[in-house]
Amino acid sequence: AGEELAKRAPVDVLRNASSDVLAELMDRHVEKRQRRIQELAVGTISGKLVIHDSATGSCLQTVHAHNSFIFCVAFSFDSSMIATASHDHTTRLWNTNTYACLHT
């Protein structure tokens, strides 16, 4: 049952989201959670960056990232940062442990 949920959770998360979302999936080890998780980063039309645990579908973090819709979301190769780009003409880098904005 757990494996089936893990396969289905990202689809369920996106099915319940607005049709205007962009998502990036990254498998990484998160020290503070003491387990390996697969995170799904979703950019929304309201400018929020929403991070989901793809195994459970639960929301891990919501960041008010931009003043307009996010049209690009990407994890860095080492999964230490998330890049977002928005219709508000800004691109931002986010720390994936603290979700603090590192650079605009």
Side-chain angles (χ1 to χ4, degrees), residues 8-29:
R8 196 181 70 238
V11 174
D12 291 345
V13 167
L14 292 175
R15 183 180 300 125
N16 294 329
S18 164
S19 62
D20 298 320
V21 298
L22 201 37
E24 169 95 354
L25 191 62
M26 175 58 72
D27 185 31
R28 70 187 190 104
H29 181 74

Side-chain angles (χ1 to χ4, degrees), residues 58-77:
S58 64
C59 178
L60 300 173
Q61 185 76 27
T62 300
V63 180
H64 297 281
H66 293 275
N67 295 323
S68 188
F69 67 87
I70 296 173
F71 59 79
C72 184
V73 176
F75 279 93
S76 63
F77 180 75

Side-chain angles (χ1 to χ4, degrees), residues 30-102:
V30 180
E31 293 296 329
K32 64 186 174 186
R33 294 187 190 99
Q34 297 299 312
R35 65 185 179 98
R36 188 157 191 84
I37 65 170
Q38 199 172 47
E39 291 185 350
L40 179 68
V42 178
T44 69
I45 60 171
S46 63
K48 293 179 185 171
L49 173 64
V50 184
I51 310 299
H52 293 276
D53 181 335
S54 67
T56 64
S58 64
C59 178
L60 300 173
Q61 185 76 27
T62 300
V63 180
H64 297 281
H66 293 275
N67 295 323
S68 188
F69 67 87
I70 296 173
F71 59 79
C72 184
V73 176
F75 279 93
S76 63
F77 180 75
D78 66 357
S79 71
S80 65
M81 295 180 286
I82 298 173
T84 57
S86 171
H87 190 259
D88 67 7
H89 304 287
T90 61
T91 300
R92 294 195 169 124
L93 291 177
W94 304 91
N95 178 300
T96 57
N97 288 321
T98 64
Y99 298 103
C101 183
L102 300 172

